[in-house]
């Protein structure tokens, strides 16, 4: 299951809010903890000059996808962008995975264009981690690539998410929850109800460990390993959570810096506050996987600092080393009869008689 | 704009996780701060006996809707439930508003059945408040009554939400945001795009103060006064936020009670921590409005304590006193041409020539 060759990552060094200042610092940290890893640093030659390491190679790219570039510009005009060239390294077999902190929409569009979608997958999805009360991370997908999803898409997400968690968290049979609204309200729309049926079928045929419906609060309770939802709902939940965490952090800071007495209290409570901060540190959960492509791509938060970007590199490395792509492919192949729908299921039942 | 008569609220005293123990304590607190208010305490006579106050009347109801009762049971079988009898007081003009901490789905179903939907409204919605960084509350609807919404429904929500905020927060022209996903991803599905167009039309005809699209984090930033979304998305965002807040609170508690030193730190930081806690205290935001009915109904969180339930009573009182129902009716009537769609808009344009 472990890749026999050293893992090489292609890093879009120009992406994100901070560019090479952060990405290069993160690469240095990453190299020091991964003695067998290699990096392809992709970006403008002048920005990357001076990064001397025998395990590093600079791959020049003359353009940069800006955070506010329209999709069309990123995809059609900037054909020599660091983002695209990094992904091309994966396509050409020179890197096991690409990592970028650039514009999510552009990254997904370019990755789909360059790498193509995996057999059996209609829509690639973005899978990220949220912290949970159990101290682990809850993997959630889709976080914004697909605004309208069919039950079949949600099943594909569930299967791909299971492969991701089995590889990155070493859980062979991770649990899957379908994001829905409370028992006390009308329970979901038609798509969600049909998705539930499909996920239950997948569970009974051994393709998934389906827990059942979960609600928004279950993400943070850690009720299941994987929460599946469409990209609209996932993106809203993700951004709302980021917004709430920022607000709470802001309130804590305001209250502790209100006057000299509260500042002294902050000093005295410092060890406790840092232990707390460490627990909810979003940097520990950075690095979303773009799943369903014929190559591995990881997306770092645009505002990532070097520690956060290093986490994304670590995740990409672990995914490459544990051959995530093959694991996804196997699980999708196994679930193919279900994914091809009721008709395929029926014909398979006949064949297996 | 202020109701000329004393305000009477009908209180479902049996609802919620704690029943009369909490609801009656909250009623006492409410009465002490509202010398002109009257209450109809609805519930089992034996549970309410002993609450002696000249401004209070007990209205007996023999049944209770349990939190896990199926909708059918709540609506068709328990015809003498405290929830239903409380709502009937509103229908019969004996109370300005009903307040319940019971099962949300049952409350909405019974309220729709007993009170009926207001002219010009297709779907009643649940509007609640979330805390925001500006220190105020962001009103969000729908929080779970409607899982599939058309652009017209979302416009109705925006109009009703504007009436609610103008009355309860005394903002004549509150801003409305349409919940959408980030610029960097594909911007919303067809329904959201059409909703945006409809809300812009409403803004240009003076029916709304439409800010534009907002993202999940804007709820907590306080970018707009009102965030409009379908009930599926709203419910997920609400529950995810509750889950995250619970997790963060749990982590803080764990870290501060880890050992004798952290416990001393907690004591020293106590004033700061309570100021912080007060800022994010969900009890200050309790009391969601069921909008779009021919009567006022407020829903308290099921787990509300007496302070939280008192907040819900206060909100219901303010809504009754400021004649929220008339305000919603006026705004809906004003927006009627838009709500009746493009055809009505065209014919109105002709008429007004």
């Amino acid at each position: 299951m472990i890749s026999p060759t050293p893992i090489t990552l292609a890093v879009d060094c120009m992406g994100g809010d901070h560019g090479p200042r952060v990405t290069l610092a993160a690469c240095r940290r990453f190299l020091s903890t991964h003695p067998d890893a290699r990096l392809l640093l992709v970006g403008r030659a002048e920005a990357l000059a001076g990064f001397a390491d025998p395990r590093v190679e600079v791959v020049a790219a003359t353009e940069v996808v800006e955070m506010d570039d329209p999709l069309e510009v990123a995809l059609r005009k900037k054909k020599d962008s660091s983002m695209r060239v990094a992904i091309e390294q994966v396509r050409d077999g020179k890197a096991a995975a690409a990592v970028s902190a650039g514009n999510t929409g552009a990254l997904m569009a370019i990755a789909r264009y360059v790498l193509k979608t995996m057999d059996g997958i209609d829509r690639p999805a973005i899978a990220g981690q949220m912290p949970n009360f159990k101290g682990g991370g809850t993997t959630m997908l889709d976080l914004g690539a697909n605004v309208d999803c069919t039950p079949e898409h949600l099943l594909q997400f569930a299967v791909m998410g299971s492969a991701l968690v089995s590889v990155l968290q070493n859980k062979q049979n991770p649990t899957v929850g379908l994001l829905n609204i409370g028992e006390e309200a009308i329970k979901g729309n038609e798509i969600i109800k049909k998705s539930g049926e499909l996920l239950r079928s997948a569970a009974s045929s051994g393709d998934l460990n389906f827990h059942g419906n979960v609600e928004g609060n279950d993400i943070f309770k850690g009720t299941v390993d994987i929460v599946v939802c469409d990209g609209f709902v996932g993106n809203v939940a993700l951004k709302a959570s980021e917004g709430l965490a920022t607000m709470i952090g802001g309130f804590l800071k305001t209250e502790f810096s209100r006057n000299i007495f509260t500042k002294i209290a902050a000093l005295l409570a410092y060890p406790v506050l840092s232990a707390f901060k460490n627990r909810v540190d979003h940097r520990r959960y950075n690095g979303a996987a773009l799943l369903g492509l014929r190559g591995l791509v990881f997306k770092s938060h645009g505002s990532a600092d070097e520690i956060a970007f290093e986490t994304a590199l670590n995740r990409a490395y672990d995914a490459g080393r544990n051959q995530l792509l093959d694991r996804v492919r196997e699980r999708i192949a196994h679930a193919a009869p279900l994914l091809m729908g009721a008709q395929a299921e029926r014909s398979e039942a006949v064949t297996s008689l």
Side-chain angles (χ1 to χ4, degrees), chain A:
Chain A
M1 303 283 263
I2 302 289
S3 171
T5 51
I7 296 299
T8 302
L9 302 179
V11 185
D12 166 13
C13 293
M14 312 306 290
D17 300 345
H18 312 294
R21 184 169 61 76
V22 156
T23 55
L24 294 184
C27 286
R28 275 196 197 89
R29 296 175 63 103
F30 170 80
L31 285 167
S32 72
T33 54
H34 293 81
D36 58 339
R38 295 171 171 278
L39 294 179
L40 302 177
L41 305 185
V42 187
R44 289 195 177 117
E46 67 276 19
L48 307 181
F51 195 108
D53 189 299
R55 290 183 284 139
V56 160
E57 191 183 322
V58 170
V59 180
T62 56
E63 292 171 303
V64 173
V65 173
E66 304 295 340
M67 292 311 254
D68 54 358
D69 271 343
L71 218 57
E72 282 305 298
V73 170
L75 190 61
R76 316 262 172 232
K77 307 271 181 198
K78 295 187 169 176
K79 296 198 175 170
D80 196 39
S81 72
S82 56
M83 187 184 274
R84 180 154 176 170
V85 174
I87 295 169
E88 286 169 349
Q89 306 307 306
V90 176
R91 179 196 62 193
D92 299 344
K94 293 177 185 163
V99 181
S100 175
N103 182 321
T104 311
L107 187 66
M108 181 54 103
I110 294 174
R112 280 181 82 152
Y113 181 79
V114 170
L115 297 173
K116 312 299 177 206
T117 304
M118 195 181 266
D119 283 336
I121 296 295
D122 299 316
R123 307 260 199 102
I126 303 172
Q129 269 203 320
M130 316 274 252
N132 68 41
F133 196 66
K134 292 186 176 164
T138 303
T139 296
M140 192 163 164
L141 73 167
D142 173 36
L143 292 181
N146 308 287
V147 289
D148 283 309
C149 294
T150 63
E152 288 74 23
H153 296 148
L154 293 176
L155 173 59
Q156 292 169 16
F157 298 170
V159 171
M160 295 193 293
S162 297
L164 180 71
V165 170
S166 73
V167 161
L168 290 189
Q169 291 172 254
N170 202 22
K171 287 188 179 177
Q172 263 319 297
N173 209 15
T175 51
V176 174
L178 175 64
L179 193 58
N180 202 341
I181 64 174
E183 292 286 324
E184 76 278 3
I186 307 143
K187 281 198 294 179
N189 53 28
E190 283 311 307
I191 289 176
I192 293 294
K193 285 176 198 161
K194 281 184 192 154
S195 303
E197 289 168 24
L198 206 49
L199 290 166
R200 268 186 292 280
S201 308
S204 58
S205 62
D207 289 314
L208 272 186
N209 185 359
F210 183 50
H211 166 91
N213 289 338
V214 294
E215 296 186 61
N217 50 343
D218 289 302
I219 301 166
F220 299 100
K221 272 190 192 168
T223 310
V224 290
D225 297 309
I226 300 143
V227 171
V228 170
C229 57
D230 77 43
F232 192 95
V233 173
N235 190 271
V236 166
L238 173 71
K239 296 254 172 77
S241 305
E242 285 178 357
L244 176 58
T246 303
M247 184 190 80
I248 290 177
F251 281 159
L252 264 180
K253 204 171 168 180
T254 307
E255 290 303 338
F256 271 112
S257 53
R258 189 171 286 285
N259 58 45
I260 184 72
F261 302 107
T262 61
K263 283 177 187 166
I264 292 170
L267 274 177
L268 295 168
Y270 181 77
V272 186
L273 292 174
S274 21
F276 163 71
K277 211 173 158 186
N278 187 44
R279 280 197 182 226
V280 289
D281 191 350
H282 59 83
R283 299 180 302 183
R284 286 173 54 205
Y285 301 95
N286 191 41
L290 272 53
L291 294 175
L293 301 164
R294 296 170 190 259
L296 295 178
V297 180
F298 280 78
K299 160 76 177 103
S300 159
H301 204 290
S303 69
D305 65 6
E306 59 185 81
I307 293 172
F309 197 78
E310 186 195 1
T311 310
L313 293 173
N314 292 343
R315 284 173 68 79
Y317 175 87
D318 290 344
R321 189 168 148 80
N322 294 292
Q323 305 187 328
L324 173 58
L325 216 55
D326 293 339
R327 298 294 88 74
V328 173
R329 222 176 257 129
E330 285 162 16
R331 283 188 183 244
I332 289 293
H334 197 264
L338 257 175
L339 288 168
M340 290 191 307
Q343 205 185 348
E345 265 187 289
R346 272 199 301 280
S347 65
E348 223 219 357
V350 173
T351 316
S352 69
L353 283 178

